[in-house]
Amino acid sequence: MDNNSINNTNSIPPRRGESGGLPSWRVELRNKIKAKDRANIARVHMPELDPNVRNKNNEEVNLGLTAEMAMQEAQRCLDCANPTCMNGCPVSIDIPRFIKNIERGEFLEAAKVLKETSALPAVCGRVCPQEKQCEAQCIHLKMKKEAVAIGHLERFAADYERESGNISVPEVAPANGMKIAVVGSGPAGLSFAGDMAKYGYDVTVFEALHEIGGVLKYGIPEFRLPNDIVDVEIDNLRAMGVKFLNNIIVGKTISVDDLKEEGFNGVFVGSGAGLPRFMNCKGENLVGIMSSNEYLTRVNLMDAANYESDTPVFKGKNVAVIGGGNTAMDSVRTAKRLGAERAMIVYRRSEEEMPARLEEVKHAKEEGIEFLTLHNPIEYIGNERGQVKQMILQVMELGEPDESGRRSPVVVEGATKLIDVDEVIVSVGVSPNPLVPQSVKGLNVSKWGTIEVDKETMQSDVPMIFAGGDIVRGGATVILAMGDGRRAAKSMDNWLQSK
Amino acid sequence: MNKIVSKEYFSPNVVKFEVEAPLIAKARKAGHFVIVRVGAKGERIPLTIADADIEKGTITLVVQRMGVSSCRLCSLNEGDYITDLVGPLGQATHIENFGTVVCACGGVGTAPMLPIVKAMKEAGNKVITVQAARTKDLIILEEQMRKYSDELIIMTDDGSYGNKGLVTDGIEMVIQREKVDMCVTIGPAIMMKFVSLLTKKHDIPTIASLNTIMVDGTGMCGACRVTVGGKTKFVCVDGPEFDAHQVDFDEMMMRLGGYKDMEQEDMKKINN
């Protein structure tokens, strides 16, 4: 799924009491500094752990802004009359209003603004590709300046609120007596659940794994997104009345028909794209070769690198990660942290085509990750015990641009390389998990296994079932999944209220 | 949820648990499995459901003490709770009236065979169960197996009970005297491999229930992958049962041994 596809259909209603214009504090703030001077302030840089320290531990790399840094960065925002940045945000956060609250030092107020539209601001501030979303539409770019660091500021406000111990619980409407089931507790499900709770529904989230959070827990590593931070945001949803049931697989443990019988009025499917793809090359089932989902699940969800954990994980010395997305970067940086002497990215195109965030690529390089671009594995060779010991890489070059406009990789005949490896992580994409789609009669599923929904309403052919996130899009991003969740909540609410 | 309502020792190393799990009891079919986790730092391991009681809302699990996780599970007692229990997972056994079915099981594979024997019998098959163990003390569930089978042939390696020999010797006896339409096998990988080689020789369709390393058990990771008919399959969602004649058992055994060193290291935690 294209990270650049942005949903512009989300218009948020004007805030109560503000429909007629800006509050006076904001007008005063706007007039305090000339726009030209604001634009000339340099963008703050997020402090980071030293690369040679952080590549040996699991601590968060980005350290967050101080209050002074945040207030200074907030000054750069021009508080545009027509804030284009908001068009770039899939959940339509009121960006200027939260930033101006930071500028005037009302950090808790800023956090509240975030929570009006986002169920997981501390998460999004960390993992959203802002450079392709909100920040890509910042007015500063038109003036050849760096965009306002919206993501850093979002993270600052959410972290400040959490650390202050004064976490606000968003207001919820009086209970309307209707029960809603959510399948999957990843970003799509959490965002949907938060909005439905606000509308007054009785929401229950069903999760197949033993932990709540989906990819935020099993996929994204601690050094990018600490699990404790995810838990605080989930607790906030609990405080809004959302119920969570783990170890239940809808489609296996209980069926959608069971849910209907138990009085659920609507079902939102956010079961994700958890099915890893392999390349089917020779030797791919040797011991030591695994999907990034397996590797990251062992390390992140099962804490396998910790001696106390019963789950084992290989700690290879020469580790190759196949792929160029964020998951590949997460895997290779994890391998380095588990002691790999040589941790390599093997990617069949050039660095320019890499789908991973620029920041992740930069961090990986600083941490000593090698990049073997324009290489593609064609065979793995094992030892007598069936453990991988070498890989044969095909050298590639870039050919003509294809329909998508990207230059496609072409084999350089006869050019191969033999490289020693004792662990290989395959990170070439995921497919939608078929468990739920297969178990519901009448649900229209595409040839890729995604659930077909109306793109505006996120409603499926089975009227009570709505869906969003990767189960609809294939592998996409956290924030697009959250945007789907919000849209589905809005339209399921409309549908139920008009019935 | 997941309260252990009864615990029974089949042998010092094989334990039968009845666990509260009303939703799973209701939804499960022969051939399904569950994933369990014991303790906050526990790993997720697959166990086939041996039986279920919908009215009591319980499922039966039979566990052999082997590694760190099965030892942790076996150390739980009546009244204790299993930290996490999720299922039923996998595809159910394909049950129909085949004619004469040989159910060949060994070791702790006997427990998951029981619901298949029952279901095959209920579907009108003539069921001949060949049950094997190293020695007499390791024969479990004999009475129940006898109850649901038309004939039960017991094999022990040392001849201390039933016939002396391996599970394949027992199957061979049946094949020599009558026509067999279908064979189902559950047990150690090496046993299933030899059962498969034997029935292939005699052209008898054979289903093997594979037990591989798993993490999530829902198709999310591919830890359990095996090669079946030249294609990579995930045991947890495509299986656990496959056409035995198409399974690459050597590769499967190689993958099962992948974490051996770490498993031994982990066992120190239990032994200390």
Side-chain angles (χ1 to χ4, degrees):
Chain A
M1 183 56 56
D2 185 2
N3 282 333
N4 291 313
S5 65
I6 281 159
N7 157 44
N8 287 320
T9 57
N10 263 351
S11 59
I12 61 152
R15 275 265 287 168
R16 264 167 295 178
E18 283 185 15
S19 49
L22 296 178
S24 57
W25 66 264
R26 207 160 140 189
V27 178
E28 271 167 41
L29 211 55
R30 188 186 275 178
N31 294 334
K32 218 167 89 183
I33 307 173
K34 277 192 208 127
K36 202 176 137 222
D37 292 337
R38 289 184 186 274
N40 282 332
I41 303 170
R43 177 171 157 134
V44 297
H45 286 278
M46 176 77 85
E48 294 169 2
L49 276 182
D50 181 84
N52 274 317
V53 173
R54 71 187 194 227
N55 67 9
K56 295 171 191 68
N57 68 32
N58 215 11
E59 281 165 40
E60 202 176 358
V61 169
N62 284 334
L63 298 173
L65 302 181
T66 62
E68 293 71 33
M69 287 172 169
M71 288 169 82
Q72 186 190 329
E73 181 64 22
Q75 285 185 358
R76 296 182 65 230
C77 169
L78 304 186
D79 199 4
C80 304
N82 174 23
T84 46
C85 53
M86 285 176 65
N87 298 334
C89 175
V91 298
S92 302
I93 287 174
D94 189 340
I95 293 166
R97 185 153 55 90
F98 103 78
I99 291 184
K100 289 300 119 179
N101 269 302
I102 293 178
E103 186 181 342
R104 68 169 176 154
E106 294 288 344
F107 305 143
L108 293 175
E109 208 44 50
K112 270 189 199 160
V113 175
L114 292 171
K115 284 205 275 193
E116 285 169 13
T117 51
S118 171
L120 313 164
V123 171
C124 292
R126 287 172 165 79
V127 303
C128 273
Q130 290 98 6
E131 67 278 9
K132 292 177 180 171
Q133 299 184 315
C134 53
E135 293 180 22
Q137 311 236 357
C138 175
I139 188 82
H140 281 43
L141 295 178
K142 292 209 177 78
M143 305 184 292
K144 305 273 178 259
K145 306 268 183 191
E146 282 188 284
V148 173
I150 301 167
H152 292 356
L153 291 172
E154 178 182 24
R155 173 187 157 143
F156 168 79
D159 285 358
Y160 182 89
E161 188 195 39
R162 186 181 63 253
E163 285 157 13
S164 75
N166 280 315
I167 295 188
S168 69
V169 177
E171 223 175 284
V172 299
N176 63 19
M178 281 197 252
K179 275 166 70 176
I180 304 298
V182 182
V183 182
S185 68
L190 293 178
S191 152
F192 173 87
D195 274 15
M196 289 305 267
K198 277 184 206 164
Y199 297 148
Y201 293 89
D202 176 4
V203 184
T204 307
V205 181
F206 297 90
E207 167 57 46
L209 288 172
H210 59 271
E211 286 258 6
I212 304 299
V215 72
L216 307 175
K217 284 281 180 64
Y218 74 74
I220 304 173
E222 286 287 291
F223 58 81
R224 277 217 293 142
L225 178 65
N227 283 347
D228 293 350
I229 285 168
V230 182
D231 281 331
V232 171
E233 305 219 320
I234 290 166
D235 283 342
N236 203 42
L237 289 169
R238 279 201 182 92
M240 289 163 66
V242 177
K243 283 169 273 192
F244 291 94
L245 293 177
N246 61 355
N247 293 323
I248 293 190
I249 305 179
V250 175
K252 288 280 183 187
T253 316
I254 50 172
S255 65
V256 168
D257 286 341
D258 291 334
L259 291 173
K260 216 169 159 180
E261 241 168 72
E262 289 199 19
F264 283 94
N265 303 85
V267 178
F268 174 76
V269 181
S271 52
L275 214 62
R277 289 196 203 120
F278 286 93
M279 294 171 69
N280 298 314
C281 51
K282 200 175 166 203
E284 206 177 26
N285 288 348
L286 285 165
V287 173
I289 303 180
M290 72 196 89
S291 70
S292 49
N293 265 10
E294 177 182 350
Y295 185 62
L296 294 173
T297 299
R298 285 178 184 274
V299 178
N300 298 330
L301 183 72
M302 307 309 295
D303 197 19
N306 180 349
Y307 175 77
E308 296 294 312
S309 168
D310 291 344
T311 304
V313 65
F314 292 117
K315 293 178 179 171
K317 289 287 163 229
N318 294 303
V319 184
V321 175
I322 317 301
N326 286 323
T327 313
M329 294 307 143
D330 286 345
S331 301
V332 79
R333 295 171 70 198
T334 297
K336 187 79 191 176
R337 283 162 170 77
L338 298 194
E341 284 156 15
R342 211 179 162 193
M344 300 163 260
I345 284 285
V346 177
Y347 182 56
R348 66 195 181 116
R349 298 178 193 252
S350 77
E351 194 176 320
E352 207 174 304
E353 286 83 20
M354 272 197 184
R357 288 188 71 184
L358 283 176
E359 185 184 39
E360 306 310 325
V361 174
K362 170 180 157 276
H363 279 160
K365 284 186 173 168
E366 288 168 357
E367 288 163 14
I369 307 300
E370 285 176 53
F371 281 66
L372 291 166
T373 52
L374 291 167
H375 284 82
N376 201 32
I378 48 173
E379 185 181 340
Y380 299 101
I381 299 164
N383 64 15
E384 66 292 340
R385 290 179 63 191
Q387 295 157 328
V388 65
K389 61 169 190 179
Q390 283 170 320
M391 60 180 177
I392 301 176
L393 299 183
Q394 170 68 56
V395 179
M396 315 291 283
E397 63 186 353
L398 286 182
E400 294 302 309
D402 58 18
E403 311 90 69
S404 73
R406 292 202 300 182
R407 294 181 65 192
S408 43
V410 192
V411 168
V412 179
E413 284 306 331
T416 59
K417 275 184 198 164
L418 187 65
I419 292 182
D420 287 346
V421 280
D422 55 2
E423 185 170 7
V424 177
I425 319 290
V426 182
S427 190
V428 295
V430 285
S431 303
N433 195 307
L435 281 180
V436 181
Q438 274 173 7
S439 72
V440 184
K441 279 185 287 273
L443 201 59
N444 198 356
V445 178
S446 76
K447 62 177 172 178
W448 298 282
T450 52
I451 296 178
E452 303 267 23
V453 293
D454 180 301
K455 285 192 175 56
E456 296 298 317
T457 64
M458 310 309 282
Q459 190 169 25
S460 77
D461 288 351
V462 179
M464 78 177 299
I465 300 181
F466 291 62
D470 284 2
I471 193 69
V472 164
R473 298 171 175 274
T477 62
V478 168
I479 191 68
L480 287 172
M482 291 186 59
D484 287 353
R486 288 210 77 206
R487 238 176 23 257
K490 183 88 216 123
S491 63
M492 189 189 277
D493 178 47
N494 287 340
W495 179 71
L496 288 170
Q497 297 307 329
S498 65
K499 265 174 76 165
Chain B
M1 291 255 269
N2 316 338
K3 185 179 175 183
I4 295 172
V5 297
S6 80
K7 180 184 185 182
E8 187 187 323
Y9 283 89
F10 281 144
S11 73
N13 284 322
V14 180
V15 180
K16 175 186 153 184
F17 289 109
E18 248 185 293
V19 188
E20 227 168 57
L23 293 174
I24 301 175
K26 205 173 133 200
R28 74 98 209 190
K29 290 194 169 72
H32 278 148
F33 68 94
V34 290
I35 292 268
V36 303
R37 194 173 79 102
V38 180
K41 293 286 175 191
E43 73 181 317
R44 297 167 65 96
I45 57 164
L47 291 170
T48 311
I49 303 169
D51 206 352
D53 186 327
I54 297 179
E55 268 160 37
K56 276 166 75 184
T58 58
I59 59 168
T60 303
L61 302 173
V62 176
V63 192
Q64 181 170 23
R65 221 183 267 274
M66 281 180 57
V68 65
S69 296
S70 51
C71 286
R72 284 202 202 287
L73 186 55
C74 287
S75 69
L76 296 181
N77 292 308
E78 204 175 295
D80 288 344
Y81 289 81
I82 294 178
T83 316
D84 294 292
L85 176 66
V86 61
L89 296 162
Q91 304 291 330
T93 307
H94 174 67
I95 303 284
E96 65 170 74
N97 191 343
F98 296 101
T100 300
V101 179
V102 168
C103 293
C105 52
V108 81
T110 305
M113 185 61 96
L114 185 61
I116 296 172
V117 167
K118 258 192 202 176
M120 285 293 185
K121 183 70 201 158
E122 278 160 17
N125 290 286
K126 176 180 177 188
V127 180
I128 302 168
T129 303
V130 181
Q131 188 179 342
R134 277 203 322 279
T135 186
K136 186 182 175 190
D137 297 344
L138 300 175
I139 292 289
I140 61 169
L141 295 165
E142 182 187 344
E143 202 184 308
Q144 290 96 318
M145 278 297 192
R146 212 173 280 287
K147 186 174 154 195
Y148 296 107
S149 311
D150 290 276
E151 184 185 354
L152 176 67
I153 299 171
I154 290 185
M155 306 295 301
T156 49
D157 291 12
D158 59 2
S160 54
Y161 191 53
N163 304 286
K164 187 174 190 307
L166 301 171
V167 75
T168 40
D169 298 321
I171 301 170
E172 190 107 50
M173 273 164 50
V174 182
I175 294 172
Q176 293 311 326
R177 64 165 208 232
E178 64 185 292
K179 183 174 178 289
V180 176
D181 300 295
M182 169 61 83
C183 176
V184 185
T185 181
I186 311 181
I190 185 81
M191 184 202 107
M192 293 192 285
K193 176 184 168 179
F194 282 102
V195 169
S196 172
L197 288 172
L198 173 68
T199 58
K200 194 170 184 181
K201 206 170 73 187
H202 294 278
D203 226 8
I204 300 166
T206 299
I207 297 293
S209 177
L210 308 186
N211 193 348
T212 52
I213 291 173
M214 285 188 192
V215 183
D216 62 285
T218 62
M220 212 179 86
C221 80
C224 64
R225 65 195 193 274
V226 287
T227 303
V228 181
K231 290 203 174 93
T232 292
K233 298 278 179 185
F234 289 6
V235 172
C236 70
V237 288
D238 301 317
E241 294 174 4
F242 295 97
D243 177 351
H245 300 157
Q246 302 290 322
V247 173
D248 184 341
F249 282 104
D250 293 330
E251 180 192 88
M252 179 184 154
M253 285 187 272
M254 177 190 89
R255 288 183 60 80
L256 275 170
Y259 289 89
K260 202 152 260 169
D261 301 345
M262 282 179 253
E263 282 161 12
Q264 274 161 6
E265 189 61 30
D266 260 358
M267 276 306 282
K268 288 184 193 159
K269 290 193 274 188
I270 292 282
N271 297 332
N272 285 343

